[in-house]
Amino acid sequence: MAADAGGGHSEADGGPVRHIPVLLAEVLDALKPAPGQVVLDGTFGAGGYTSAILDKGASVIALDRDPNAIAAGQALVAASGGRLSLIHSQFSELARHAPDGGLDGVVLDIGVSSMQLDEAERGFSFQKTGPLDMRMSAAGVSAADVVNRAKVSDLIRIFGFLGEEKQAGRIARAIEKRRSETPFETTRDLAGLIEIVTPRKAKDKIHPATRVFQALRIFVNDELGELARALFAAERVLKPGGRLVVVSFHSLEDRIVKKFFLDRSGKSAGSRHLPELIKRDVIFAPVGKSMIVASEEESAANPRARSAKLRAGERTAAPPGTDDLAIFELPDLASLEKIGG
């Protein structure tokens, strides 16, 4: 992640960090993989969760939208004895890859991986000069397209909502002025401008470009919409007793996961002045604590774990709910298609 919502920094602001699976023991405890089970890992990455699930005897269907992750994971496929299928796909489409009998578990680790941050040519990190790209799938609208083509009002909303950048207006107007003279092409182009517009103060814990880069990455990859659709998809394909485990790193992501489990718990989030009038099915029962965070020891050893939050639920036999994105109250932002058009 480029930053957490509270301004805490991660490997994007401090150079390369070897990829270590976050909250691994807690994920396994919530997921309970076992021989004979089929678990879907929607965010394969470097294969940390998948390897641990395979070690527990379960079979794994792993997805990743990054073609580089798929290529790098072929050695694990070969070593799995036929228990691992690795598929190039967005995790919002996980229902397409589930077996007819359903899944015993789904795990999602939301956010950019340290491997992607370490690859300058991917354009995720302002610490490395590369093309202003940020596309996890290496296709579609890039961050440069957004910066060079989006309306100033749209840039302000993107930076403000997705990056919680207080200087969104000032930065967006500076971008408009600069792009009229010379288009933005590299990560250094954008980071350099932001450094001039909002110079770093001595008390600042993060680089001035952190929140803007975070916002662009989330927007370019439609990360919030992907997560919301993936939760609905997991609900449809999990067997009764199957576990859904989600690890998020940003308050916007965690809010989506929290709202989903609350909505599917049969509880009402309505007015405190009125009793709940309509009883709804419990579609997911809580697993363990409502939220789990990393220990002090893990956070010290792995900076990526500092902002991690784990939430989990167990699927009941109730029918799936409706795929109503309104429950997440997602921000109304510009259309990627129109910007790319």
Side-chain angles (χ1 to χ4, degrees):
M1 293 292 295
D4 64 35
H9 71 287
S10 70
E11 61 266 28
D13 196 31
V17 173
R18 182 174 61 88
H19 183 82
I20 304 170
V22 172
L23 292 169
L24 179 58
E26 292 82 354
V27 165
L28 293 175
D29 185 58
L31 198 60
K32 293 285 191 292
Q37 292 187 347
V38 180
V39 175
L40 187 142
D41 180 353
T43 46
F44 176 75
Y49 290 161
T50 287
S51 295
I53 295 166
L54 289 170
D55 288 344
K56 295 294 185 180
S59 296
V60 178
I61 300 168
L63 313 180
D64 205 295
R65 67 195 297 181
D66 186 342
N68 291 355
I70 299 299
Q74 294 308 309
L76 185 57
V77 173
S80 71
R83 289 192 293 121
L84 171 60
S85 299
L86 185 53
I87 303 169
H88 185 210
S89 173
Q90 298 178 177
F91 59 66
S92 62
E93 300 177 351
L94 65 87
R96 293 176 47 199
H97 308 293
D100 292 338
L103 294 165
D104 297 288
V106 172
V107 60
L108 304 172
D109 174 359
I110 311 303
V112 68
S113 75
S114 53
M115 298 176 301
Q116 291 167 330
L117 290 169
D118 290 345
E119 297 169 356
E121 67 273 14
R122 304 298 297 276
F124 285 100
S125 174
F126 49 78
Q127 295 291 339
K128 298 173 180 293
T129 299
L132 191 57
D133 193 324
M134 302 193 192
R135 297 171 295 179
M136 292 182 183
S137 60
V141 177
S142 70
D145 293 330
V146 176
V147 170
N148 289 317
R149 299 178 187 177
K151 297 177 182 178
V152 170
S153 58
D154 289 332
L155 289 177
I156 292 173
R157 289 178 63 80
I158 291 167
F159 300 159
F161 277 110
L162 302 183
E164 299 186 338
E165 172 55 66
K166 294 179 180 179
Q167 302 296 328
R170 180 184 295 181
I171 294 170
R173 287 187 287 273
I175 287 173
E176 180 186 38
K177 181 179 180 181
R178 151 66 199 270
R179 74 189 185 186
S180 67
E181 302 166 357
T182 308
F184 290 86
E185 295 181 353
T186 70
T187 54
R188 191 64 240 161
D189 289 342
L190 180 57
L193 177 75
I194 297 171
E195 288 169 356
I196 294 171
V197 175
T198 57
R200 188 169 190 168
K201 299 180 177 65
K203 64 179 181 179
D204 291 342
K205 295 182 179 180
I206 63 171
H207 188 281
T210 298
R211 293 186 179 90
V212 169
F213 270 65
Q214 168 188 283
L216 285 170
R217 193 206 74 236
I218 293 173
F219 180 71
V220 164
N221 296 290
D222 187 23
E223 292 180 31
L224 301 186
E226 276 287 300
L227 173 57
R229 292 187 290 272
L231 296 173
F232 290 140
E235 177 180 85
R236 293 195 299 274
V237 297
L238 279 168
K239 301 175 182 176
R243 301 286 184 91
L244 171 60
V245 181
V246 186
V247 177
S248 61
F249 297 85
H250 187 286
S251 65
L252 293 175
E253 299 162 347
D254 181 59
R255 197 175 303 150
I256 289 173
V257 181
K258 181 180 179 179
K259 284 179 178 292
F260 175 77
F261 280 128
L262 177 64
D263 186 82
R264 274 20 187 185
S265 70
K267 298 177 182 177
S268 172
S271 170
R272 61 188 176 88
H273 300 292
L274 295 174
E276 185 177 354
L277 300 178
I278 301 174
K279 292 293 183 181
R280 296 182 296 160
D281 289 337
V282 176
I283 302 173
F284 276 96
V287 171
K289 296 180 180 179
S290 61
M291 183 185 72
I292 296 172
V293 298
S295 65
E296 292 183 4
E297 293 77 13
E298 180 175 4
S299 294
N302 183 7
R304 188 170 181 256
R306 293 172 188 164
S307 58
K309 297 179 177 64
L310 183 155
R311 296 184 188 272
E314 182 175 304
R315 188 71 170 86
T316 71
T322 58
D323 293 7
D324 182 9
L325 290 172
I327 68 172
F328 301 117
E329 300 176 319
L330 298 176
D332 183 17
L333 301 176
S335 165
L336 273 171
E337 289 73 20
K338 289 182 179 179
I339 292 174

